[in-house]
Amino acid sequence: MNRSFLLASVLVLFATGALAQGPCSQGVRIISAYYGEGRHTASGQPFDPLGLTAAHRTFPFGTRLLVINPRNGKSVTVTVNDRGPFVKGVSLDLSAGAAKLIGMTGLDAVCMARLGEAG
């Protein structure tokens, strides 16, 4: 078995058990990660690691999401412009810039609320 896959699986199990406790005051509690590398997104837009964007498996491109770090109350609004994440148990990939704004490091439990679609 691939070591990085095994490590990711262990991290997801830790995150879902240790971090995903209690209700969110807004939205639903999910596990999120972040990424800072890439050239283009699945929507065709250039990837901006400092942008306020996210990857989601099924939400339409342009969907706006409110993401809240429940440990510090910081929030950010992001726009879905990419597909992913591709790790079981992780529901959302934030751009590194969005993750930094809410104080997220690595895998983290966040509260996510769908605000609507652009346009």
Side-chain angles (χ1 to χ4, degrees):
M1 180 176 276
N2 183 319
R3 281 185 175 183
S4 60
F5 176 77
L6 181 60
L7 177 60
S9 298
V10 170
L11 288 173
V12 168
L13 289 173
F14 171 78
T16 55
L19 298 175
Q21 298 174 2
C24 290
S25 61
Q26 285 184 289
V28 296
R29 186 171 296 264
I30 62 163
I31 301 301
S32 181
Y34 69 91
Y35 66 119
E37 295 181 13
R39 299 192 90 172
H40 293 287
T41 63
S43 68
Q45 296 177 343
F47 175 66
D48 178 2
L50 300 179
L52 302 182
T53 58
H56 191 274
R57 289 182 196 93
T58 60
F59 287 155
F61 296 137
T63 300
R64 293 178 310 113
L65 304 171
L66 175 65
V67 181
I68 304 164
N69 182 338
R71 290 186 293 147
N72 61 22
K74 292 182 179 181
S75 66
V76 65
T77 299
V78 296
T79 303
V80 174
N81 72 344
D82 206 358
R83 290 291 173 232
F86 301 107
V87 175
K88 185 177 181 180
V90 179
S91 300
L92 188 70
D93 271 342
L94 294 174
S95 64
K100 184 177 181 178
L101 282 177
I102 63 171
M104 194 177 113
T105 58
L107 286 176
D108 221 338
V110 297
C111 300
M112 178 189 75
R114 189 171 174 176
L115 298 176
E117 296 177 29

